[in-house]
Amino acid sequence: MEARTQQLLAAITREINGGHGEEKYASELGNAHTTLNEVWQAIARYEQAIIVAREIGDRREEGIALSNLGLANVALGETDKAIDYFEKTLVIYREIGDRHGEAVALSDLGVVHLQNKQLKFAQSFFGEACIIFSQLMSSDVNDAALGLIQACGSIKAANSYLINLVNRTAQLSPEQKLKQKARVLQALSKIAIDQGAWSEAREMLENTIEYHKTMGEIEEIARDSRALAEIFYRSGNLHNCLLHYTDAINLFRRAGNQLEVAGTLEVVGKLEVQIGEWEDGMADLKQAMSLYEQIGDLAAVERLRTIFSNYSKEYIV
């Protein structure tokens, strides 16, 4: 009872102090009920929010409430109702030009269709969501990409699906298509790395590097090289790992990104110390600290001082 009271009072307090309208107040109370697993009470509040939002013409709040109703119905196992609410949400977000909201609605539709084993629909919705999230540089692309992998059955199949989808997108210029392919491949490669699918991750990153080379995006090539280094590290190939980290450092230097140079040097220095290359490791860590000092990143400088202290009193700075 105490937790319930705190949740509801918090929603009311936000209403009083934040000056939200009645529709936002109802939605926040609905969220409070959802947090407390009081789904039917939450649904009543969301329905109230929709009525008020429509009365005052607040399309965004109407979309939020409809989305929340969809999620509540998913929790109840009412997937047909959930799909209806998510489709209405999608229409609203497209009407008001909310691209992120549109992608969220597409992803929600993908989730429900995946639960219903309607894989073609799930692939379509997750694929569209991936494209929009990647255009917006949103980290939500990772969840959408994971859903697409589940709908397609494998990382490789999801990769092919997305590349074909980008190629079929008529409104994108050739350069925009290259950017889009690189972004979706980066998202998929992160998932592949997390799942230990080294060969798939490596292939996607190598393709991404070629896209970025074509566009002349040095910093992105550096990030791809660093990601490849992580793959080689996790798969036990330390030689290639260090080679790709070195490539990343040199590319970041060319791009003038001193913070990324310092961060990569720090990673490499720790790795070199770990594998017994003490002098090289300490030299790279000292370079990293010098750059952090130049940049003015005092937290990083202090972190490295602690590292030096832990490694050896000989290297206390």
Side-chain angles (χ1 to χ4, degrees), residues 71 252 287:
L71 294 172
F252 281 131
Q287 281 190 62

Side-chain angles (χ1 to χ4, degrees), residues 258-259 262 288-302:
Q258 296 292 74
L259 182 59
M289 189 164 77
S290 177
L291 288 172
Y292 284 136
E293 288 172 338
Q294 293 174 31
I295 297 165
D297 190 337
L298 300 182
V301 171
E302 188 58 34

Side-chain angles (χ1 to χ4, degrees), residues 175-194:
E175 183 176 352
Q176 287 173 326
K177 287 183 178 180
L178 284 177
K179 284 182 179 288
Q180 199 65 63
K181 289 176 184 177
R183 288 171 182 169
V184 296
L185 284 178
Q186 282 177 326
L188 286 172
S189 67
K190 289 178 182 176
I191 295 171
I193 291 171
D194 289 340

Side-chain angles (χ1 to χ4, degrees), residues 276-289:
E277 297 181 5
W278 183 267
E279 292 185 2
D280 289 342
M282 297 307 290
D284 284 334
L285 288 171
K286 284 187 175 182
Q287 281 190 62
M289 189 164 77

